[in-house]
Amino acid sequence: GRFWTHNGVKNVVQTAGVSTPRNLLDDEFSITGTGTTTNSNNVSRSHTILIALVKKTICENIVSGRIRFDGPNHTAVLDYGDGTCDRLATISSDGGTPRTILLGQ
């Protein structure tokens, strides 16, 4: 059969809203870490958070930070932007010019 194995470390730290436990809307989190996914053909892909990802409770998507994905043939960098609560991010492949993408909602 086919399968994927996942191995990694994800660190999540609350960076805002700690002093207002009853108000979840001002909460913000910083996410760091690395990981590897290997498929049943023993092909691995890894990811490394280069700049801590920032997730605000009031925003649907991650608002800033940068993550690199390394596959057997290519490397991509996903950049979530400047902290604005939007759907915009950029992705570049193999060091090429970043192109804007829309994140899911």
Side-chain angles (χ1 to χ4, degrees):
R2 296 192 176 268
F3 63 88
W4 295 86
T5 59
H6 305 277
N7 184 17
V9 174
K10 180 169 81 170
N11 302 300
V12 179
V13 176
Q14 187 169 357
T15 56
V18 176
S19 63
T20 56
R22 294 175 195 249
N23 178 12
L24 301 179
L25 296 179
D26 65 352
D27 290 0
E28 293 183 23
F29 300 89
S30 172
I31 304 158
T32 59
T34 61
T36 302
T37 302
T38 305
N39 68 16
S40 52
N41 294 326
N42 207 32
V43 176
S44 293
R45 291 160 181 84
S46 64
H47 69 274
T48 303
I49 297 175
L50 303 172
I51 298 173
L53 306 180
V54 175
K55 176 67 176 89
K56 298 177 181 180
T57 302
I58 61 169
C59 300
E60 192 72 29
N61 297 296
I62 293 169
V63 297
S64 67
R66 190 175 297 151
I67 185 169
R68 184 182 73 227
F69 300 93
D70 296 297
N73 302 311
H74 300 283
T75 296
V77 175
L78 180 61
D79 189 324
Y80 287 94
D82 62 4
T84 304
C85 189
D86 60 21
R87 294 180 59 198
L88 300 176
T90 63
I91 191 163
S92 61
S93 183
D94 299 324
T97 303
R99 69 180 209 268
T100 300
I101 62 171
L102 285 178
L103 302 170
Q105 257 186 331

